[in-house]
Amino acid sequence: MSGGSRVTARNRTKPRAGDGDSSTNNQGATVGRGRGKSRDHGPLHIMDVKVRTLLGIGFSFLALFLVSFLLYNRQARTEEDVEFRKLKRVVTPLPAPRMLDLPQFQGGHKESLYWGTYRPHVYLGIRARTPKSLIAGLMWIGMKDGQYLLRHVCQDSDVLNTYGWIEHNGRDYGRQVLVDQALSLTTSFLKENGNGSGFGGDWAVRLEADNVKSISDEAKWSSAHLFFYIADEEGNSLTLGREEFELHDDILLSSGLRGDVGGWEVHLKSKDKIEVHYAGFKTLHTHNLTELVQATLAFNARSTGLLALPDALEGSPNILVFQFSVKLPSVLDIVFVSGTDSKSSRIIDRINYLTGTILTRKLDERKKYFEDKYNRCFNTMDKVDSEAMFVGKAAIANLLGGIGYFYGQSKIAIPKGFTQKNGEKIMSYWPAALYTAVPSRSYFPRGFLWDEGFHQLLIWRWDIEICLDIIGHWLDLINVDGWIPREQILGAEALSKVPDEFVPQHPSNGNPPTLFFVLQGKDKSTFYWHGRDIATTRELNPKTLSSGLDDYPRASHPSEDERHLDLRCWMLLAADCLHSISEIIGMQNTSARGSFLTPKQLRNFEVLNQLHLDDVSGAYFDYGNHTEKVRLRWHDVNVGNTVKRELVRETLQKPHLQLVPHVGYISLFPFIMKIIPPESWILGKQLELISNRSTLWTDYGIRSLSKTSSLYMKRNTEHDPPYWRGPIWINLNYMILAALNHYSKVDGPCRSRAHALYKELRSNLIRNIVKNYYETGYLWEQYDQAGKGKGKGTRPFTGWTTLVVLIMAEEFPSFQL
């Protein structure tokens, strides 16, 4: 949004026709008397004044009007400016030094993480941690329903048998297996900073294409079409290695020059027979590359009858795509070398070090190091069997391999009560980078604030420097009011995966436990999540997206009188962390110390029980304006000139302020955060809720919502199936398991019961996740609480489902507050 204002022209008062000098001809005329005759009538003088006087009065009045008008508009503009300044705060960075400018994030650390598999939304994508990078990626031709289709972007509709990293260290090594019907592809990535290389070093990709071993001879493919591309997001022209690619042991595919890495070259080496074709494009819209290549293949096929790229270039192309048609099995090594414009570049030696048998040896070394580090970090060898260990390694590998680098500007929805001078409904955050893990490469390949805390429970154990770098990127997104957009959709590639209506972020909404000030409720010890729709007629229970638990039942009628139990617990965690940090750094500020009454206040067990406890059941609940008598019914709705049948919400009973009687994950938050004293009778009641098969317990994990809830497995709208209304989620099961582990180790009447539940729940979770992985090839977003624990939702979901590694390792955070 522009910082300037647009001045609109307003109509000025104009003199009417006829006003002028003719009036002077009748100067001094009066009403005639005597002899019955009068002079011709001149203007009627109400006051006996001169025209000059009248004009003076008129101009004086006009001047007064203009002054008043200007003063009014100045006041209006002042009010607009105040509103504009308030609005601008939303997109104003915190006036503090950037975290990523700290010395520990510069120098060797920055260079060591420069290149990586930082494009998680594609099956294999490489880029540098810079806003406009040189990017590379893999495509191949698959088949579906008898049609050829180009595989590139991770999507469920491709129906791959499996894909995902089975080893990845987050820095310089990864190995991934993709199975597309009969075709098995193994992609390996290795990075080195060799003698003579440019900034960030060199990297190699090994592509191994073969038939799946278990299929019949009739189903096997004889050949495959693989595509590898290199593109410059800055638009710099790329040079083609040669116009005709003959079979050689070393083929120069492309070269170029950039400010960050200097001169660079990409080479292909293989012992197998390869047919090479190419195409060059000039466009900055790299997020449309799939469609561009697929259209080029289709056009050339119609023209020549060949399923091949046309061996043609657009002028000064910034994208080069190479097609490798190979017999199966085949192995291809693709090498990127930087700094080729320096005198000591040693290009041939560096290529040899990253191809062939030397590359094989280095990949084997990195594989062994990955396995050794996994055992050191998580120590699961004596705790789970070999099948579970394999799944654990794949889980952490997919989390690390799913780390991405994004750059762009978040789109921010204009808060209610504010307007922009240009009438736009959104404004842009400042341009920023984000280095982050992602929940799912296919469905959620971007940063989520709520998810990232769970991701870091694993990543800090694996590589503390990567963890701190990720946290630093997130903290650099804080605005002047302490807010971070909860979902980061940065850059064209990320935007291409999100429907338009979900792109704008709302500054009144935050994820746990990030926002400390805009979420506070009317009572100092209560909090409520913002963002619930108070006017909806389509939702059975208005969603609470900012909580991360989306459609989990809350008060039926949103209001500022709500008290959200989970947020109260998150705020205690956040306040307690801030208090600990202040003690570590020796904060002496008096006003700051005063804010630390909050942890003590939120930790007050009696106050918690007064606000949220049902004394009869021993369960904790939200509080708000609620009725259970709400339903969705079909209604005929006029839409233009047509009538549509839609599900519309009906309220059959007037809501009133009360505890919201839905037992589920939220009911367990005081237990999860270990606020309940081990000697309290309430702890025994909590364990009863957890272990009761009629409420939360299953053989596959803890349900998100009790079977006794009126909204258990109910759709929220015509198009929204139940999400947090029954299915098993691993992040909350991990937190429940951590609490059971805690209470099994402290003295109290429930100690042995907590220990027994801990052992059984841990075993159930590991067994079901491992079973699903072997049956389907994926970790899943959630698991069916009723259908034998079958994986549900998005896959692969290698965000917080990777917490299964910590469950195997019996590593839990200290949530005790």
Side-chain angles (χ1 to χ4, degrees), residues 648-698:
V648 178
R649 185 170 94 146
E650 293 181 347
T651 301
L652 306 178
Q653 182 185 69
K654 185 177 179 180
H656 64 276
L657 292 173
Q658 59 174 305
L659 293 174
V660 182
H662 294 286
V663 173
Y665 285 163
I666 285 177
S667 307
L668 302 177
F669 260 78
F671 168 78
I672 287 170
M673 296 295 186
K674 310 178 185 71
I675 302 171
I676 303 172
E679 67 278 2
S680 172
W681 67 272
I682 298 173
L683 178 58
K685 288 290 188 179
Q686 292 280 295
L687 297 183
E688 287 179 14
L689 288 174
I690 291 171
S691 60
N692 190 337
R693 290 182 178 272
S694 297
T695 52
L696 300 177
W697 187 270
T698 79

Side-chain angles (χ1 to χ4, degrees), residues 277-298:
H277 295 282
Y278 63 87
F281 306 100
K282 180 67 174 179
T283 178
L284 295 179
H285 300 296
T286 55
H287 60 285
N288 293 327
L289 190 54
T290 307
E291 293 77 11
L292 190 59
V293 174
Q294 191 153 309
T296 303
L297 283 169

Side-chain angles (χ1 to χ4, degrees), residues 144 401 421 467 806:
K144 183 179 179 182
K421 296 175 182 177
C467 173
L806 298 184

